[in-house]
Amino acid sequence: MNILEFSQNSYLTSFFLFCFALILYVFTVAGRRKNQEAHLKKWGTISFAVTVLGFVAQLAYFITRWIGSGHIPLSNMYEFMSFLAIMIIAAYIVMHFIYRSAALGLFAVPLAILMMGYASVFPSEVQPLIPQLKSIWLILHVSMVGASEAFFAVGFVAGIMYLVHTMRWDDTTKRKSQIALEFSLFTVIIILGYVVTVFGYRAAGYEVELQRTVEVVETIDNNTQISNKPDTISYTLPPIFAATNSKVVGDEKFLGMQLPLMEVPAAMDSHKTARKMNTVTWSLMSGLLLYGLIRLIIRKPIAKALQPLLRGMNPDDLDEISYRATAIAFPVFTLGGLIFAMIWAQEAWGRFWAWDPKEVWALITWLFYSAYLHLRLSRGYHGEKSAWLVVIGFIIVMFTLVGVNLLIVGLHSYAGV
Protein backbone atom coordinates (compact mmCIF):
# COMPACT_ATOMS: atom_id res chain seq x y z
CA MET A 1 0.00 0.00 0.00
CA ASN A 2 1.48 3.34 -1.06
CA ILE A 3 1.02 6.56 0.86
CA LEU A 4 -1.81 7.86 -1.37
CA GLU A 5 -3.77 4.62 -0.89
CA PHE A 6 -3.28 4.97 2.87
CA SER A 7 -4.52 8.56 2.58
CA GLN A 8 -7.69 7.49 0.80
CA ASN A 9 -8.31 4.69 3.32
CA SER A 10 -7.94 7.21 6.14
CA TYR A 11 -10.52 9.41 4.44
CA LEU A 12 -13.00 6.51 4.23
CA THR A 13 -12.27 5.55 7.84
CA SER A 14 -13.06 9.06 9.03
CA PHE A 15 -16.29 9.04 7.02
CA PHE A 16 -17.52 5.84 8.66
CA LEU A 17 -16.41 6.98 12.11
CA PHE A 18 -18.47 10.15 11.71
CA CYS A 19 -21.48 8.12 10.60
CA PHE A 20 -21.07 5.99 13.74
CA ALA A 21 -20.64 9.13 15.85
CA LEU A 22 -23.88 10.52 14.42
CA ILE A 23 -25.75 7.43 15.60
CA LEU A 24 -24.22 7.86 19.04
CA TYR A 25 -25.28 11.51 19.14
CA VAL A 26 -28.84 10.39 18.50
CA PHE A 27 -28.63 8.17 21.62
CA THR A 28 -27.17 11.12 23.50
CA VAL A 29 -30.02 13.42 22.59
CA ALA A 30 -32.55 10.67 23.32
CA GLY A 31 -31.09 10.52 26.83
CA ARG A 32 -31.55 14.28 27.19
CA ARG A 33 -35.20 13.99 26.25
CA LYS A 34 -35.69 11.46 29.03
CA ASN A 35 -33.77 13.64 31.51
CA GLN A 36 -31.29 10.84 32.17
CA GLU A 37 -28.23 12.90 33.10
CA ALA A 38 -25.97 9.89 33.61
CA HIS A 39 -27.05 8.52 30.23
CA LEU A 40 -26.42 11.93 28.66
CA LYS A 41 -22.93 12.28 30.10
CA LYS A 42 -21.93 8.73 29.15
CA TRP A 43 -23.15 8.80 25.54
CA GLY A 44 -22.02 12.39 25.10
CA THR A 45 -18.46 11.43 26.05
CA ILE A 46 -18.49 8.37 23.80
CA SER A 47 -19.95 10.32 20.88
CA PHE A 48 -17.34 13.05 21.21
CA ALA A 49 -14.52 10.49 21.52
CA VAL A 50 -15.56 8.79 18.28
CA THR A 51 -15.75 12.22 16.61
CA VAL A 52 -12.20 12.98 17.74
CA LEU A 53 -11.05 9.62 16.32
CA GLY A 54 -12.66 10.54 13.02
CA PHE A 55 -10.86 13.89 13.14
CA VAL A 56 -7.54 12.12 13.69
CA ALA A 57 -8.26 9.95 10.63
CA GLN A 58 -9.04 13.13 8.67
CA LEU A 59 -5.70 14.60 9.67
CA ALA A 60 -3.97 11.38 8.61
CA TYR A 61 -5.64 11.69 5.19
CA PHE A 62 -4.61 15.33 4.84
CA ILE A 63 -0.98 14.92 5.92
CA THR A 64 -0.32 11.75 3.88
CA ARG A 65 -1.97 13.22 0.77
CA TRP A 66 0.23 16.31 1.19
CA ILE A 67 3.34 14.10 1.41
CA GLY A 68 2.25 11.85 -1.46
CA SER A 69 1.28 14.65 -3.84
CA GLY A 70 4.15 16.97 -2.99
CA HIS A 71 1.85 19.95 -2.40
CA ILE A 72 -0.82 20.95 0.09
CA PRO A 73 -4.12 19.26 -0.86
CA LEU A 74 -6.15 22.41 -1.47
CA SER A 75 -5.89 22.76 -5.24
CA ASN A 76 -9.29 21.49 -6.45
CA MET A 77 -12.86 21.07 -5.24
CA TYR A 78 -12.33 17.52 -3.94
CA GLU A 79 -9.43 18.61 -1.78
CA PHE A 80 -11.00 21.88 -0.65
CA MET A 81 -14.35 20.35 0.32
CA SER A 82 -12.48 17.59 2.18
CA PHE A 83 -10.48 20.27 4.00
CA LEU A 84 -13.68 22.16 4.79
CA ALA A 85 -15.08 19.00 6.40
CA ILE A 86 -11.89 18.70 8.47
CA MET A 87 -12.20 22.28 9.63
CA ILE A 88 -15.91 21.91 10.46
CA ILE A 89 -15.04 19.08 12.82
CA ALA A 90 -12.12 21.10 14.22
CA ALA A 91 -14.42 24.09 14.78
CA TYR A 92 -16.99 21.85 16.45
CA ILE A 93 -14.33 20.38 18.75
CA VAL A 94 -13.23 23.88 19.77
CA MET A 95 -16.80 24.98 20.48
CA HIS A 96 -17.49 21.71 22.33
CA PHE A 97 -14.62 22.33 24.75
CA ILE A 98 -15.92 25.85 25.38
CA TYR A 99 -19.64 25.11 25.76
CA ARG A 100 -19.76 21.33 26.40
CA SER A 101 -22.74 20.97 24.06
CA ALA A 102 -23.05 17.38 22.85
CA ALA A 103 -26.26 18.19 20.97
CA LEU A 104 -24.28 20.53 18.70
CA GLY A 105 -22.60 17.42 17.32
CA LEU A 106 -25.97 16.08 16.19
CA PHE A 107 -26.04 18.86 13.59
CA ALA A 108 -22.33 19.66 13.05
CA VAL A 109 -21.19 16.10 12.34
CA PRO A 110 -23.78 15.38 9.61
CA LEU A 111 -22.83 18.69 7.97
CA ALA A 112 -19.21 17.48 7.83
CA ILE A 113 -20.40 14.12 6.48
CA LEU A 114 -22.35 15.95 3.79
CA MET A 115 -19.28 17.97 2.79
CA MET A 116 -17.20 14.78 2.58
CA GLY A 117 -19.86 13.17 0.41
CA TYR A 118 -20.02 16.23 -1.83
CA ALA A 119 -16.21 16.23 -2.10
CA SER A 120 -16.33 12.64 -3.34
CA VAL A 121 -18.48 13.73 -6.29
CA PHE A 122 -15.36 15.34 -7.78
CA PRO A 123 -12.34 13.44 -9.16
CA SER A 124 -10.14 12.37 -6.24
CA GLU A 125 -6.96 11.69 -8.22
CA VAL A 126 -3.93 13.77 -7.33
CA GLN A 127 -3.52 16.47 -9.97
CA PRO A 128 -0.43 18.58 -10.72
CA LEU A 129 -0.67 22.22 -9.73
CA ILE A 130 -1.47 24.71 -12.46
CA PRO A 131 0.99 27.64 -12.60
CA GLN A 132 -1.29 30.06 -10.71
CA LEU A 133 -1.40 27.71 -7.70
CA LYS A 134 2.35 27.29 -7.28
CA SER A 135 2.58 29.85 -4.53
CA ILE A 136 2.83 30.11 -0.76
CA TRP A 137 -0.43 32.06 -0.96
CA LEU A 138 -2.22 28.83 -1.84
CA ILE A 139 -1.56 27.66 1.73
CA LEU A 140 -2.30 31.00 3.39
CA HIS A 141 -5.34 32.08 1.38
CA VAL A 142 -7.18 28.79 0.84
CA SER A 143 -6.52 27.28 4.27
CA MET A 144 -7.73 30.42 6.06
CA VAL A 145 -10.82 30.61 3.87
CA GLY A 146 -11.58 26.98 4.72
CA ALA A 147 -11.04 27.59 8.44
CA SER A 148 -13.28 30.67 8.47
CA GLU A 149 -16.04 28.97 6.50
CA ALA A 150 -15.94 26.07 8.96
CA PHE A 151 -16.65 28.42 11.88
CA PHE A 152 -19.34 30.13 9.80
CA ALA A 153 -20.78 26.61 9.36
CA VAL A 154 -20.83 25.99 13.12
CA GLY A 155 -22.54 29.36 13.56
CA PHE A 156 -25.07 28.28 10.95
CA VAL A 157 -25.65 24.98 12.75
CA ALA A 158 -26.25 26.74 16.06
CA GLY A 159 -28.53 29.28 14.35
CA ILE A 160 -30.60 26.52 12.76
CA MET A 161 -30.81 24.74 16.09
CA TYR A 162 -32.00 27.95 17.74
CA LEU A 163 -34.71 28.51 15.12
CA VAL A 164 -35.85 24.88 15.23
CA HIS A 165 -35.91 24.93 19.03
CA THR A 166 -37.87 28.17 19.39
CA MET A 167 -40.22 27.94 16.39
CA ARG A 168 -43.90 28.02 17.42
CA TRP A 169 -45.74 25.88 14.90
CA ASP A 170 -49.16 26.69 16.37
CA ASP A 171 -48.65 30.43 15.77
CA THR A 172 -50.13 31.36 12.37
CA THR A 173 -48.34 34.72 12.44
CA LYS A 174 -45.07 32.80 12.17
CA ARG A 175 -46.03 31.24 8.84
CA LYS A 176 -43.39 33.12 6.83
CA SER A 177 -40.69 32.18 9.34
CA GLN A 178 -41.76 28.54 9.23
CA ILE A 179 -41.53 28.48 5.43
CA ALA A 180 -38.15 30.24 5.49
CA LEU A 181 -36.78 27.77 8.04
CA GLU A 182 -37.98 24.82 6.00
CA PHE A 183 -36.42 26.33 2.87
CA SER A 184 -33.10 26.69 4.70
CA LEU A 185 -33.14 22.97 5.46
CA PHE A 186 -34.19 22.29 1.87
CA THR A 187 -30.97 23.92 0.61
CA VAL A 188 -29.06 21.29 2.57
CA ILE A 189 -31.32 18.55 1.18
CA ILE A 190 -30.44 19.68 -2.37
CA ILE A 191 -26.76 18.91 -1.79
CA LEU A 192 -27.61 15.62 -0.10
CA GLY A 193 -29.92 14.62 -2.94
CA TYR A 194 -27.29 15.39 -5.55
CA VAL A 195 -24.64 13.38 -3.68
CA VAL A 196 -26.99 10.38 -3.35
CA THR A 197 -27.87 10.56 -7.06
CA VAL A 198 -24.25 10.76 -8.17
CA PHE A 199 -23.23 7.80 -6.04
CA GLY A 200 -26.25 5.84 -7.22
CA TYR A 201 -25.28 6.21 -10.87
CA ARG A 202 -21.63 5.70 -10.03
CA ALA A 203 -22.48 2.41 -8.28
CA ALA A 204 -24.42 1.36 -11.38
CA GLY A 205 -21.35 2.09 -13.50
CA TYR A 206 -23.14 4.74 -15.56
CA GLU A 207 -21.05 6.82 -17.94
CA VAL A 208 -21.78 8.30 -21.34
CA GLU A 209 -19.79 10.44 -23.74
CA LEU A 210 -21.07 13.34 -25.83
CA GLN A 211 -19.14 14.38 -28.91
CA ARG A 212 -19.30 17.24 -31.37
CA THR A 213 -17.08 18.52 -34.16
CA VAL A 214 -15.38 21.88 -33.68
CA GLU A 215 -13.21 24.01 -35.91
CA VAL A 216 -9.62 24.34 -34.73
CA VAL A 217 -7.40 27.10 -36.11
CA GLU A 218 -3.67 26.30 -36.09
CA THR A 219 -0.69 28.27 -37.34
CA ILE A 220 2.15 26.11 -38.68
CA ASP A 221 5.16 27.76 -40.38
CA ASN A 222 3.21 31.00 -40.74
CA ASN A 223 0.42 29.12 -42.52
CA THR A 224 -3.04 29.19 -40.96
CA GLN A 225 -4.86 25.89 -41.15
CA ILE A 226 -8.46 25.20 -40.20
CA SER A 227 -9.40 21.63 -39.34
CA ASN A 228 -12.36 19.82 -37.83
CA LYS A 229 -11.63 17.86 -34.68
CA PRO A 230 -13.86 15.91 -32.28
CA ASP A 231 -14.61 17.50 -28.91
CA THR A 232 -15.68 14.87 -26.37
CA ILE A 233 -16.88 15.12 -22.78
CA SER A 234 -17.89 12.41 -20.31
CA TYR A 235 -21.06 12.49 -18.16
CA THR A 236 -21.61 10.39 -15.03
CA LEU A 237 -25.26 11.46 -14.83
CA PRO A 238 -27.72 11.17 -17.73
CA PRO A 239 -27.18 14.33 -19.81
CA ILE A 240 -30.15 16.66 -20.08
CA PHE A 241 -28.26 19.59 -21.60
CA ALA A 242 -25.62 19.43 -24.32
CA ALA A 243 -23.55 21.78 -26.41
CA THR A 244 -24.91 22.53 -29.89
CA ASN A 245 -24.64 19.63 -32.37
CA SER A 246 -23.51 17.17 -29.69
CA LYS A 247 -24.33 13.53 -30.13
CA VAL A 248 -24.18 10.57 -27.80
CA VAL A 249 -21.29 8.23 -28.48
CA GLY A 250 -22.83 4.77 -28.61
CA ASP A 251 -26.34 3.69 -27.64
CA GLU A 252 -27.09 5.55 -24.41
CA LYS A 253 -30.45 4.99 -22.80
CA PHE A 254 -32.04 6.10 -19.56
CA LEU A 255 -34.82 4.01 -18.01
CA GLY A 256 -35.15 2.14 -21.32
CA MET A 257 -35.62 5.32 -23.38
CA GLN A 258 -33.29 7.43 -25.44
CA LEU A 259 -32.79 10.57 -23.38
CA PRO A 260 -33.51 13.73 -25.41
CA LEU A 261 -30.82 16.38 -25.26
CA MET A 262 -31.60 20.07 -24.78
CA GLU A 263 -29.04 22.23 -26.54
CA VAL A 264 -27.70 25.20 -24.61
CA PRO A 265 -28.16 28.61 -26.24
CA ALA A 266 -25.62 29.48 -28.91
CA ALA A 267 -24.16 32.25 -26.73
CA MET A 268 -23.22 29.63 -24.12
CA ASP A 269 -22.26 26.92 -26.61
CA SER A 270 -19.73 24.77 -24.79
CA HIS A 271 -19.51 21.36 -23.16
CA LYS A 272 -18.53 22.97 -19.84
CA THR A 273 -21.59 25.22 -19.73
CA ALA A 274 -23.89 22.33 -20.65
CA ARG A 275 -22.44 20.11 -17.93
CA LYS A 276 -22.86 22.85 -15.31
CA MET A 277 -26.50 23.25 -16.36
CA ASN A 278 -26.87 19.49 -16.11
CA THR A 279 -25.44 19.55 -12.57
CA VAL A 280 -27.79 22.32 -11.44
CA THR A 281 -30.81 20.56 -12.94
CA TRP A 282 -30.00 17.19 -11.39
CA SER A 283 -29.32 18.88 -8.02
CA LEU A 284 -32.75 20.50 -8.01
CA MET A 285 -34.55 17.36 -9.21
CA SER A 286 -32.74 15.13 -6.71
CA GLY A 287 -33.30 17.59 -3.86
CA LEU A 288 -37.02 17.94 -4.61
CA LEU A 289 -37.44 14.17 -4.86
CA LEU A 290 -35.55 13.48 -1.62
CA TYR A 291 -37.38 16.27 0.21
CA GLY A 292 -40.71 14.92 -1.02
CA LEU A 293 -39.84 11.40 0.17
CA ILE A 294 -38.80 12.67 3.60
CA ARG A 295 -41.97 14.70 3.97
CA LEU A 296 -44.03 11.70 2.83
CA ILE A 297 -42.45 9.55 5.53
CA ILE A 298 -42.53 11.97 8.46
CA ARG A 299 -45.77 13.75 7.36
CA LYS A 300 -44.69 17.08 8.83
CA PRO A 301 -42.11 19.80 8.12
CA ILE A 302 -38.57 18.60 8.71
CA ALA A 303 -37.90 21.45 11.15
CA LYS A 304 -40.95 20.46 13.18
CA ALA A 305 -39.81 16.82 13.27
CA LEU A 306 -36.38 17.90 14.55
CA GLN A 307 -37.77 20.10 17.32
CA PRO A 308 -38.27 17.34 19.94
CA LEU A 309 -34.57 16.45 19.66
CA LEU A 310 -33.63 19.84 21.08
CA ARG A 311 -35.87 19.84 24.13
CA GLY A 312 -33.91 20.66 27.24
CA MET A 313 -31.38 22.85 25.44
CA ASN A 314 -30.95 26.45 26.47
CA PRO A 315 -31.73 28.78 23.51
CA ASP A 316 -29.44 31.43 24.99
CA ASP A 317 -26.53 28.98 24.77
CA LEU A 318 -27.29 28.31 21.11
CA ASP A 319 -27.47 32.04 20.43
CA GLU A 320 -24.11 32.55 22.16
CA ILE A 321 -22.46 29.66 20.26
CA SER A 322 -23.75 31.04 16.96
CA TYR A 323 -22.36 34.50 17.68
CA ARG A 324 -19.00 33.32 19.06
CA ALA A 325 -18.37 31.00 16.10
CA THR A 326 -19.14 33.82 13.66
CA ALA A 327 -16.98 36.26 15.63
CA ILE A 328 -14.04 33.83 15.35
CA ALA A 329 -14.64 33.26 11.63
CA PHE A 330 -14.92 36.90 10.56
CA PRO A 331 -11.34 38.14 11.17
CA VAL A 332 -9.93 34.91 9.73
CA PHE A 333 -12.05 35.36 6.59
CA THR A 334 -11.03 39.03 6.37
CA LEU A 335 -7.36 38.13 6.45
CA GLY A 336 -7.44 34.98 4.30
CA GLY A 337 -10.41 35.59 2.04
CA LEU A 338 -9.76 39.24 1.17
CA ILE A 339 -6.31 40.54 2.15
CA PHE A 340 -4.24 37.46 1.28
CA ALA A 341 -6.45 36.85 -1.77
CA MET A 342 -5.69 40.33 -3.14
CA ILE A 343 -1.96 39.91 -2.56
CA TRP A 344 -2.04 36.57 -4.39
CA ALA A 345 -4.08 38.09 -7.22
CA GLN A 346 -1.45 40.81 -7.64
CA GLU A 347 1.28 38.20 -7.77
CA ALA A 348 -0.53 35.81 -10.15
CA TRP A 349 -2.54 38.14 -12.39
CA GLY A 350 -0.92 41.54 -11.94
CA ARG A 351 -3.82 43.25 -10.19
CA PHE A 352 -5.31 43.31 -6.70
CA TRP A 353 -8.95 43.33 -7.84
CA ALA A 354 -10.74 42.64 -11.14
CA TRP A 355 -14.40 42.15 -10.14
CA ASP A 356 -14.16 38.43 -10.86
CA PRO A 357 -17.42 36.71 -9.74
CA LYS A 358 -15.69 34.83 -6.93
CA GLU A 359 -14.08 38.05 -5.71
CA VAL A 360 -17.39 39.91 -5.83
CA TRP A 361 -19.22 37.24 -3.83
CA ALA A 362 -16.38 37.02 -1.32
CA LEU A 363 -16.83 40.76 -0.82
CA ILE A 364 -20.61 40.33 -0.48
CA THR A 365 -19.98 37.65 2.17
CA TRP A 366 -17.63 39.97 4.07
CA LEU A 367 -20.06 42.89 3.90
CA PHE A 368 -22.95 40.73 5.09
CA TYR A 369 -21.11 39.42 8.14
CA SER A 370 -19.80 42.93 8.83
CA ALA A 371 -23.41 44.10 8.96
CA TYR A 372 -24.32 41.15 11.18
CA LEU A 373 -21.61 41.92 13.73
CA HIS A 374 -22.49 45.62 13.65
CA LEU A 375 -26.18 44.90 14.29
CA ARG A 376 -25.35 42.37 16.97
CA LEU A 377 -23.11 44.73 18.92
CA SER A 378 -24.75 48.09 18.38
CA ARG A 379 -28.44 47.32 18.01
CA GLY A 380 -28.84 44.32 20.23
CA TYR A 381 -29.72 41.81 17.53
CA HIS A 382 -30.01 38.66 19.61
CA GLY A 383 -32.11 35.54 19.49
CA GLU A 384 -34.26 34.99 16.41
CA LYS A 385 -33.01 37.97 14.39
CA SER A 386 -29.40 37.01 15.01
CA ALA A 387 -30.07 33.37 14.11
CA TRP A 388 -31.69 34.32 10.82
CA LEU A 389 -28.71 36.48 9.89
CA VAL A 390 -26.15 33.69 10.42
CA VAL A 391 -28.34 31.24 8.48
CA ILE A 392 -28.63 33.64 5.55
CA GLY A 393 -24.92 34.40 5.81
CA PHE A 394 -23.94 30.75 5.47
CA ILE A 395 -26.24 30.32 2.48
CA ILE A 396 -24.29 33.19 0.90
CA VAL A 397 -21.04 31.40 1.83
CA MET A 398 -22.20 28.19 0.12
CA PHE A 399 -23.33 30.08 -2.97
CA THR A 400 -19.89 31.74 -3.12
CA LEU A 401 -18.22 28.35 -2.75
CA VAL A 402 -20.45 26.18 -4.97
CA GLY A 403 -23.03 28.28 -6.78
CA VAL A 404 -20.58 30.71 -8.38
CA ASN A 405 -18.60 27.79 -9.82
CA LEU A 406 -21.75 26.27 -11.29
CA LEU A 407 -23.51 29.34 -12.60
CA ILE A 408 -20.85 31.91 -13.42
CA VAL A 409 -17.62 31.72 -15.42
CA GLY A 410 -14.60 33.49 -13.97
CA LEU A 411 -10.90 33.32 -13.19
CA HIS A 412 -11.59 30.81 -10.40
CA SER A 413 -13.34 28.35 -12.74
CA TYR A 414 -10.42 25.92 -12.43
CA ALA A 415 -11.82 25.04 -9.01
CA GLY A 416 -15.31 24.35 -10.28
CA VAL A 417 -17.35 21.37 -11.38
Side-chain angles (χ1 to χ4, degrees):
M1 180 187 298
N2 61 39
I3 194 168
L4 290 176
E5 289 177 343
F6 177 82
S7 175
Q8 203 61 27
N9 289 338
S10 298
Y11 187 85
L12 291 174
T13 299
S14 66
F15 180 83
F16 288 117
L17 281 171
F18 290 144
C19 290
F20 181 49
L22 178 58
I23 296 173
L24 293 175
Y25 279 117
V26 172
F27 281 103
T28 302
V29 174
R32 180 190 293 276
R33 291 173 61 191
K34 296 176 182 178
N35 295 319
Q36 298 175 359
E37 292 302 324
H39 175 100
L40 174 62
K41 184 176 180 180
K42 173 185 175 182
W43 285 105
T45 302
I46 295 174
S47 304
F48 183 70
V50 174
T51 302
V52 172
L53 286 176
F55 179 66
V56 171
Q58 281 183 315
L59 291 180
Y61 145 79
F62 187 79
I63 294 170
T64 52
R65 188 177 177 93
W66 191 341
I67 295 172
S69 65
H71 60 79
I72 189 170
L74 293 172
S75 61
N76 53 49
M77 281 297 281
Y78 171 80
E79 293 175 346
F80 181 78
M81 296 304 295
S82 300
F83 177 73
L84 181 57
I86 295 173
M87 294 310 300
I88 287 174
I89 295 298
Y92 162 65
I93 290 174
V94 170
M95 301 309 289
H96 177 87
F97 278 122
I98 296 174
Y99 293 99
R100 300 292 178 179
S101 175
L104 187 62
L106 183 64
F107 288 76
V109 170
L111 184 60
I113 292 172
L114 181 61
M115 295 303 168
M116 294 179 73
Y118 184 67
S120 299
V121 167
F122 299 91
S124 61
E125 295 78 13
V126 172
Q127 302 169 0
L129 290 179
I130 64 175
Q132 293 95 325
L133 298 181
K134 294 180 179 179
S135 171
I136 185 63
W137 298 109
L138 170 66
I139 299 176
L140 296 175
H141 163 58
V142 182
S143 63
M144 293 186 73
V145 168
S148 63
E149 290 179 348
F151 276 95
F152 282 142
V154 172
F156 164 79
V157 165
I160 283 288
M161 292 173 68
Y162 180 94
L163 293 171
V164 170
H165 185 281
T166 59
M167 183 61 65
R168 295 175 57 188
W169 293 95
D170 57 346
D171 188 348
T172 56
T173 63
K174 294 285 186 178
R175 184 62 178 166
K176 290 183 180 179
S177 297
Q178 294 165 6
I179 294 174
L181 178 57
E182 195 70 3
F183 178 78
S184 300
L185 294 174
F186 173 68
T187 59
V188 178
I189 296 294
I190 288 177
I191 300 176
L192 178 59
Y194 178 69
V195 170
V196 171
T197 301
V198 169
F199 278 97
Y201 277 102
R202 188 177 292 178
Y206 180 90
E207 186 174 8
V208 65
E209 290 186 341
L210 294 182
Q211 188 177 91
R212 64 172 181 163
T213 301
V214 296
E215 287 188 351
V216 178
V217 180
E218 298 177 310
T219 302
I220 302 176
D221 296 331
N222 294 324
N223 294 321
T224 300
Q225 299 179 356
I226 300 177
S227 59
N228 293 325
K229 293 187 178 181
D231 181 20
T232 305
I233 191 169
S234 177
Y235 280 73
T236 54
L237 287 175
I240 300 172
F241 295 93
T244 304
N245 298 323
S246 295
K247 294 182 179 179
V248 175
V249 178
D251 183 25
E252 187 270 343
K253 292 185 177 181
F254 174 62
L255 297 179
M257 301 178 292
Q258 185 69 43
L259 191 68
L261 297 176
M262 299 174 61
E263 293 187 347
V264 300
M268 301 186 296
D269 184 14
S270 74
H271 276 318
K272 189 173 184 179
T273 300
R275 186 159 67 175
K276 287 185 176 183
M277 293 175 67
N278 202 61
T279 299
V280 172
T281 303
W282 272 105
S283 298
L284 292 174
M285 291 194 306
S286 303
L288 286 169
L289 178 60
L290 182 58
Y291 178 77
L293 288 174
I294 294 174
R295 287 294 302 269
L296 186 63
I297 294 172
I298 65 177
R299 298 183 179 277
K300 64 178 68 173
I302 296 176
K304 188 175 182 179
L306 292 173
Q307 193 171 55
L309 297 176
L310 300 178
R311 287 176 183 167
M313 289 207 67
N314 187 342
D316 292 336
D317 289 344
L318 294 174
D319 180 60
E320 181 70 12
I321 292 172
S322 179
Y323 165 65
R324 292 298 178 189
T326 304
I328 292 171
F330 183 75
V332 179
F333 183 81
T334 302
L335 187 60
L338 291 183
I339 297 174
F340 287 169
M342 289 189 288
I343 296 173
W344 190 11
Q346 172 64 27
E347 179 184 286
W349 297 316
R351 87 292 181 276
F352 289 102
W353 190 268
W355 298 103
D356 178 70
K358 185 75 76 172
E359 295 173 350
V360 172
W361 278 94
L363 178 60
I364 291 172
T365 301
W366 184 85
L367 290 173
F368 183 90
Y369 279 109
S370 297
Y372 161 76
L373 291 173
H374 172 74
L375 291 170
R376 175 88 186 195
L377 295 174
S378 66
R379 304 221 170 193
Y381 268 46
H382 293 77
E384 183 177 354
K385 290 181 179 179
S386 177
W388 275 119
L389 287 176
V390 294
V391 168
I392 295 170
F394 189 68
I395 292 175
I396 295 174
V397 167
M398 292 307 298
F399 181 81
T400 303
L401 176 61
V402 179
V404 171
N405 290 343
L406 288 175
L407 301 175
I408 308 173
V409 177
L411 292 171
H412 291 78
S413 294
Y414 59 79
V417 178

